[in-house]
């Protein structure tokens, strides 16, 4: 039976292990994506002309705050003739809001040509999006549009699957403070450690 002292020691060791994991994987992502994450206005002239929009919450046929911000960035890039092809990747199940249908409808309503949009309804997470973009759609270079807390991880994963990737930051001025905190926490504790593991497996 564990004594109280041993229990406290075990708890402290567990907290230390988590802190080391968070620090190590966050640093790994930061180093791997250094210089590869930019604001929309900082995109280089010779940047890829394919954009990947990562799915996020959609409800009642409308994109949520995060997804709308990503789509607005892509619309601006398309209108400025900076991108020719837009891969929308997410979950196309109706019980998940059918992110693909919502993204396509939003883009088409803003005069993005239907032929410029490519649907991937099985991009259920960032790793799956990057793997499928490379393997099924033959993408070798792309702009990846998402929020700043997510961009570095997206670049890391797509690079691991052979895509020359640049993360483009979508603003989220309408996103709540609580949701931003929750997403940053999830990135640190779960998503980045998993991304590092997935990227190492992909490179084998």
């Amino acid at each position: 039976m564990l004594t109280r002292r041993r229990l406290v020691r075990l708890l402290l060791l567990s907290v230390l292990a988590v802190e080391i994991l968070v620090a190590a994987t966050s640093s790994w992502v930061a180093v791997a994506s250094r210089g590869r994450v930019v604001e929309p206005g900082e995109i280089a002239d010779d940047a890829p002309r394919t954009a990947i929009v990562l799915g996020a919450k959609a409800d009642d046929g409308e994109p949520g705050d995060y997804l709308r911000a990503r789509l607005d960035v892509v619309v601006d890039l398309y209108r400025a003739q900076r991108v020719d092809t837009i891969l929308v990747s997410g979950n196309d199940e109706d019980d998940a809001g059918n992110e693909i249908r919502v993204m396509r409808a939003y883009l088409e309503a803003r005069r993005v040509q239907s032929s410029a949009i490519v649907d991937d309804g099985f991009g259920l997470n960032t790793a799956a999006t990057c793997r499928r973009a490379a393997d099924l759609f033959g993408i070798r270079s792309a702009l990846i549009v998402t929020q700043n807390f997510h961009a570095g991880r997206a670049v890391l994963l797509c690079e691991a699957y052979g895509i020359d990737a640049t993360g483009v930051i979508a603003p989220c001025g309408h996103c709540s403070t609580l949701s931003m905190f929750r997403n940053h926490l999830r990135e640190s504790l779960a998503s980045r450690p998993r991304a590092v593991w997935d990227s190492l497996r992909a490179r084998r």
Side-chain angles (χ1 to χ4, degrees), residues 97-178:
N98 202 321
E99 297 166 3
I100 301 304
R101 184 173 62 211
V102 169
M103 287 192 278
R104 174 174 280 278
Y106 190 91
L107 293 173
E108 290 178 345
R110 284 150 186 82
R111 299 186 179 179
V112 175
Q113 291 294 317
S114 177
S115 58
I117 306 169
V118 179
D119 300 337
D120 176 16
F122 291 93
L124 304 183
N125 54 50
T126 308
T129 290
C130 293
R131 174 177 53 79
R132 291 172 57 82
D135 293 348
L136 298 183
F137 299 99
I139 295 174
R140 295 295 172 258
S141 62
L143 304 174
I144 308 170
V145 183
T146 187
Q147 274 69 33
N148 60 347
F149 59 82
H150 185 194
R153 174 165 65 90
V155 168
L156 168 71
L157 285 166
C158 278
E159 291 280 356
Y161 286 102
I163 298 175
D164 183 14
T166 298
V168 179
I169 298 173
C172 204
H174 293 91
C175 300
S176 71
T177 301
L178 178 60

Side-chain angles (χ1 to χ4, degrees), residues 2-16:
L2 289 175
T3 65
R4 182 174 180 178
R5 179 178 295 181
R6 287 182 178 178
L7 186 60
V8 170
R9 183 181 300 173
L10 180 61
L11 179 60
L12 291 175
L13 288 174
S14 299
V15 171
L16 179 61

Side-chain angles (χ1 to χ4, degrees), residues 57-75:
K57 182 181 179 181
D59 193 25
D60 292 331
E62 295 292 332
D65 290 335
Y66 291 97
L67 186 54
R68 182 180 295 106
R70 298 173 191 181
L71 294 168
D72 285 341
V73 168
V74 171
V75 169

